[in-house]
Amino acid sequence: MLENCWNQKYHLEIFGCQMNFHDAEKTAGILEKMGFTKADTAEEADVILLITCCVRENAENRLYGHLGNLKPLKQKNPELIIGVGGCMAQLPSVREKIAEYHPHIDLLFGAFNLHQLPDLIMRIRETGSRILEVPGDGEIQEDLPVTRESSFRAWVTVIYGCNNFCTYCIVPYVRGREKSRRPEKILAEVRRLAAEGIKEVTLLGQNVNSYGLDFPAAERTDFADLLGLINQVEGITRIRFQTSHPKDLSDKLIRQMAEAEKVCEHLHLPLQAGSDKILRMMNRKYTRDDYLRLVDKLRTRIPDLALTTDLIVGFPGEEEADFQDTLEMVEKVGFDAAFTFAYSPRVGTQAAKMENQVPEEEKMDRLYRLIEVVNKQAKAANQRLEGKVETILVEGPSPKRKEIFCGRTRGNKLVLFTPPSSGPDLIGTEIKVKIKKGLTYTLQGEVVDREVF
Ligand code: SF4
């Protein structure tokens, strides 16, 4: 089967979160194992696969627009295979629309049949028929080939799916229930990565804090235990993870974060809203006081912790007083950064059916007011680092200005600096920089110790 694809090219388009980017790395790995090579543009590809995200409603409309743009390529080259993967492909409504209105799409696939891609592609080649059935659930497939984007940091999925059913979120419906990977499989992968020169691993899951809860109690490795195991892997110098649901952030995990020296001093802890009424309607299962208590515990154990969050404004029923509660929480906690969203209803979720949807104009007004407060805090947090020396993992030239390099602190802050003449040699190494200036989104630094680690 493999030789059939020599000299053929693939093109991937990726939307959404880190889980999708990591799925794309696996997809690329599988295609390359089949003999495909990466195309420079969609025009020269023999297979085009889209890894989609369904978290936001307008993502679906954007997908259809995008599929329309690919039609001329298929008309020009009828042999071209176009496939749609990721969360969106697992939504029945999307499947129906693609089946009916987008005949140039040959293939739908999901997270649970990534490993079948070679077979699916070859079947389409041989029969010319479309394959639009996607399994909604299945076994975790281990040892898939992965073509990683970076030579010094890597994503490692530790848990799939989500059991939480936040009322605004479609993920549990498309990604299924929580399934943890076996700890020995994860450890083996991390050891392999370390042997290949990877320094930083980011452990991924919709809710990593519930890792292991699906194992029998007697043989349970929970997320805190897993961090402890990965902390011992030689060669790995930094461990990150996301995302953490506040209701599952245990004292044991906080202790482990403080004690395991490779676990970075950064936590992304989505608050979503500061009003208890809205948190209840979102089915988040914690209150503002619970969240504040967690922040207190975290900062007591890890004083340098950088804390980031997600915030939604304009959830159905949110009144000005609820929004003020969110602003007040943001002021109280003092986040280092926040992803802010105006609520957008997602068909298939409970919140989309709720009454009292907030008018668009009101949502946008609240969003702008929130961003102003968040940005002020982010800048203040970054300014507090001025004069300090931070260890950064050098990523390479900044995407916008090639003569400037960038790297990340353990707190996950992006530092821009002028590289010494040995600049390229520093990529993937840890160096020390003195923070000269803290801006809203970045820090400006100066190299003080070029000694690589
Ligand atoms: S925890 Fe809530 S927001 Fe996160 S994936 Fe699960 S249902 Fe969605």
Side-chain angles (χ1 to χ4, degrees):
M1 178 198 296
L2 300 184
E3 61 276 22
N4 288 337
C5 303
W6 292 123
N7 298 326
Q8 298 218 347
K9 295 192 170 177
Y10 74 88
H11 175 76
L12 299 183
E13 299 193 9
I14 311 145
F15 307 83
C17 63
Q18 289 185 343
M19 297 283 273
N20 275 11
F21 277 87
H22 188 37
D23 279 351
E25 288 184 332
K26 291 180 198 163
T27 308
I30 292 167
L31 293 173
E32 287 179 17
K33 192 139 192 229
M34 290 175 75
F36 284 92
T37 51
K38 191 173 172 183
D40 290 331
T41 61
E43 283 71 23
E44 63 180 50
D46 301 282
V47 169
I48 298 176
L49 300 180
L50 279 61
I51 312 292
T52 61
C53 167
C54 64
V55 171
R56 299 173 74 74
E57 183 77 21
N58 59 11
E60 192 170 322
N61 299 332
R62 279 211 313 272
L63 171 73
Y64 297 133
H66 201 67
L67 295 183
N69 294 340
L70 294 175
K71 211 170 181 175
L73 296 183
K74 181 79 171 186
Q75 283 162 346
K76 217 163 113 193
N77 173 15
E79 297 291 304
L80 171 68
I81 292 178
I82 306 179
V84 177
C87 302
M88 204 97 86
Q90 290 177 256
L91 281 175
S93 58
V94 172
R95 271 207 302 277
E96 281 159 24
K97 275 193 200 150
I98 287 182
E100 192 165 350
Y101 302 113
H102 299 275
H104 59 297
I105 303 305
D106 307 282
L107 170 66
L108 294 181
F109 61 101
F112 288 108
N113 63 339
L114 263 188
H115 63 292
Q116 293 172 331
L117 266 182
D119 185 46
L120 298 172
I121 289 173
M122 297 317 286
R123 262 166 56 201
I124 294 169
R125 276 272 144 81
E126 281 169 23
T127 64
S129 55
R130 308 169 80 194
I131 302 178
L132 305 180
E133 286 313 310
V134 187
D137 212 346
E139 290 302 308
I140 293 174
Q141 297 299 320
E142 292 289 352
D143 305 321
L144 292 179
V146 184
T147 300
R148 298 196 186 260
E149 285 291 313
S150 166
S151 58
F152 54 90
R153 55 181 185 183
W155 291 307
V156 176
T157 306
V158 299
I159 180 169
Y160 294 87
C162 180
N163 291 357
N164 286 314
F165 291 93
C166 301
T167 54
Y168 52 84
C169 182
I170 194 82
V171 166
Y173 302 96
V174 292
R175 294 249 172 189
R177 296 297 82 74
E178 288 169 0
K179 276 197 191 89
S180 304
R181 285 179 69 197
R182 294 295 314 166
E184 58 276 11
K185 293 284 183 190
I186 298 170
L187 259 184
E189 182 176 349
V190 174
R191 285 195 188 111
R192 253 191 332 267
L193 290 169
E196 288 165 14
I198 294 290
K199 295 252 172 61
E200 176 181 297
V201 287
T202 301
L203 310 180
L204 290 181
Q206 307 296 343
N207 178 19
V208 291
N209 294 355
S210 53
Y211 173 80
L213 299 186
D214 51 327
F215 298 149
E219 54 171 82
R220 183 169 297 154
T221 300
D222 65 15
F223 190 58
D225 300 327
L226 185 69
L227 285 183
L229 292 170
I230 295 175
N231 194 55
Q232 291 167 27
V233 176
E234 218 173 297
I236 297 297
T237 58
R238 292 179 167 205
I239 304 168
R240 301 186 185 279
F241 55 87
Q242 71 176 52
T243 298
S244 283
H245 195 302
K247 80 172 167 49
D248 299 313
L249 185 71
S250 65
D251 289 352
K252 179 179 171 188
L253 178 54
I254 295 174
R255 209 166 48 240
Q256 185 67 283
M257 287 169 64
E259 288 171 6
E261 71 285 358
K262 294 178 185 174
V263 175
C264 290
E265 294 78 21
H266 169 233
L267 181 66
H268 186 72
L269 193 66
L271 168 64
Q272 307 299 12
S275 143
D276 282 341
K277 178 187 100 184
I278 299 299
L279 286 172
R280 234 181 357 262
M281 290 170 69
M282 288 177 162
N283 193 30
R284 291 291 289 174
K285 300 195 183 87
Y286 55 84
T287 63
R288 50 190 275 130
D289 283 348
D290 294 335
Y291 192 95
L292 287 172
R293 269 193 296 274
L294 272 182
V295 171
D296 220 42
K297 281 190 214 172
L298 283 159
R299 287 194 168 140
T300 304
R301 291 302 309 251
I302 314 162
D304 293 340
L305 185 77
L307 195 62
T308 57
T309 198
D310 295 334
L311 296 161
I312 299 173
V313 296
F315 188 80
E318 184 189 77
E319 294 174 71
E320 179 60 26
D322 300 306
F323 173 65
Q324 287 299 330
D325 284 347
T326 298
L327 286 184
E328 193 199 23
M329 275 295 276
V330 171
E331 293 280 7
K332 268 192 178 153
V333 175
F335 293 105
D336 289 78
F339 293 108
T340 52
F341 305 92
Y343 169 74
S344 79
R346 192 72 195 77
V347 172
T349 61
Q350 286 182 47
K353 290 183 251 161
M354 287 178 184
E355 290 173 359
N356 302 327
Q357 297 284 333
V358 176
E360 211 53 39
E361 208 176 298
E362 190 67 47
K363 282 187 212 170
M364 296 319 288
D365 175 61
R366 289 179 192 165
L367 184 64
Y368 294 136
R369 283 149 69 201
L370 177 64
I371 290 173
E372 207 173 302
V373 177
V374 164
N375 284 352
K376 214 167 81 198
Q377 285 192 338
K379 189 168 180 181
N382 286 344
Q383 283 173 337
R384 282 195 291 277
L385 293 177
E386 288 176 3
K388 296 201 169 153
V389 173
E390 295 273 332
T391 303
I392 61 166
L393 178 60
V394 179
E395 293 182 356
S398 137
K400 289 195 186 135
R401 290 174 60 196
K402 298 288 173 210
E403 73 282 11
I404 299 290
F405 268 42
C406 59
R408 281 191 190 267
T409 66
R410 286 175 56 99
N412 207 30
K413 292 173 187 265
L414 194 66
V415 182
L416 304 176
F417 64 98
T418 306
S421 51
S422 58
D425 296 343
L426 296 180
I427 297 173
T429 66
E430 288 180 272
I431 62 167
K432 290 198 187 300
V433 293
K434 185 167 187 176
I435 305 304
K436 306 300 279 182
K437 201 169 169 62
L439 304 169
T440 306
Y441 304 108
T442 55
L443 301 163
Q444 289 174 359
E446 185 180 87
V447 179
V448 292
D449 188 350
R450 295 175 202 176
E451 193 160 315
V452 293
F453 294 78

